[in-house]
Amino acid sequence: MKRIVVGVTGASGTIYAINLLQQLQNNPEVEVHAVFSDWAKENLKIETDYSFHDVAELADFTYKNRDLGAKIASGSFLVDGMVILPASMKTVAGIACGFSDNLIGRAADVTLKEQRKLIIVPRETPLSVIHLENLTKLAKLGVQIIPPIPGFYNQPQTIQDLIDHHTMKILDALGIRNQLSQRWEG
């Protein structure tokens, strides 16, 4: 069974996190540990009709973002990877500088130090030089940066098609087989 940590921060795009959590929940081979920042919870209210309770139920385990004693804050707790989506630029900067003042940042720091798979889905535009430097620094450390940039070769018909395609890319990066979206056939 794969163990995946999902961190949801206060950037816009909470629907991407919901879709990923739904897909992970549908896979009996995956155990999900989720952390939501306070602003992620606020964006959930602003951007969707989902309640926090309903979204939290998509994870096997949830943690408070201030709980630095949670098991995902330790490198001795084995996980297969972590995804932060959407990733605010504040979170990206904190991780790039090793500033672990909350559980999302600490879990990312642990993922890096243990040389495990870390995926960041930045949700900001335009990107400043500071944002790009922080993302570049993380990419040089082995973090996979997967921004939610839509592909159109699969001829999406709905917003959900665009979201599914991005979720497929994240699942692929985690090594989780899926057929969530149409793939390029040449």
Side-chain angles (χ1 to χ4, degrees):
M1 177 172 284
K2 283 192 181 250
R3 217 182 246 168
I4 304 297
V5 176
V6 177
V8 185
T9 73
S12 182
T14 310
I15 196 66
Y16 290 107
I18 294 168
N19 197 53
L20 177 65
L21 289 167
Q22 288 169 334
Q23 296 308 314
L24 293 172
Q25 183 193 47
N26 289 337
N27 188 327
E29 301 296 318
V30 177
E31 179 181 278
V32 178
H33 296 257
V35 187
F36 300 83
S37 74
D38 290 340
W39 278 107
K41 294 174 187 176
E42 287 300 314
N43 276 349
L44 183 66
K45 290 184 223 174
I46 294 166
E47 297 179 349
T48 76
D49 293 328
Y50 289 92
S51 73
F52 174 69
H53 174 77
D54 291 338
V55 174
E57 290 274 312
L58 296 172
D60 297 294
F61 301 91
T62 58
Y63 306 91
K64 292 183 181 353
N65 199 28
R66 290 276 163 218
D67 184 6
L68 293 176
K71 55 185 159 186
I72 62 170
S74 173
S76 66
F77 183 70
L78 299 176
V79 301
D80 295 286
M82 179 176 185
V83 180
I84 303 174
L85 87 156
S88 68
M89 289 300 112
K90 176 184 176 186
T91 300
V92 168
I95 296 165
C97 294
F99 186 63
S100 304
D101 69 332
N102 60 47
L103 185 55
I104 293 171
R106 173 61 187 163
D109 188 39
V110 165
T111 301
L112 279 172
K113 81 177 183 72
E114 299 294 333
Q115 298 183 356
R116 297 177 183 143
K117 170 71 85 176
L118 178 58
I119 297 169
I120 291 182
V121 180
R123 238 303 301 135
E124 185 66 75
T125 193
L127 294 167
S128 75
V129 172
I130 294 168
H131 302 151
L132 293 168
E133 286 176 348
N134 286 332
L135 289 167
T136 299
K137 181 177 183 180
L138 292 173
K140 287 178 179 179
L141 294 171
V143 175
Q144 193 165 7
I145 311 297
I146 307 178
I149 298 171
F152 294 97
Y153 58 83
N154 58 348
Q155 298 185 348
Q157 302 299 304
T158 66
I159 291 173
Q160 188 62 50
D161 290 343
L162 296 171
I163 295 167
D164 284 344
H165 188 76
H166 189 262
T167 300
M168 176 188 78
K169 295 286 195 178
I170 294 169
L171 294 172
D172 288 351
L174 290 168
I176 298 172
R177 290 187 168 279
N178 71 92
Q179 293 300 322
L180 191 56
S181 183
Q182 183 179 344
R183 297 179 183 279
W184 177 251
E185 298 284 331

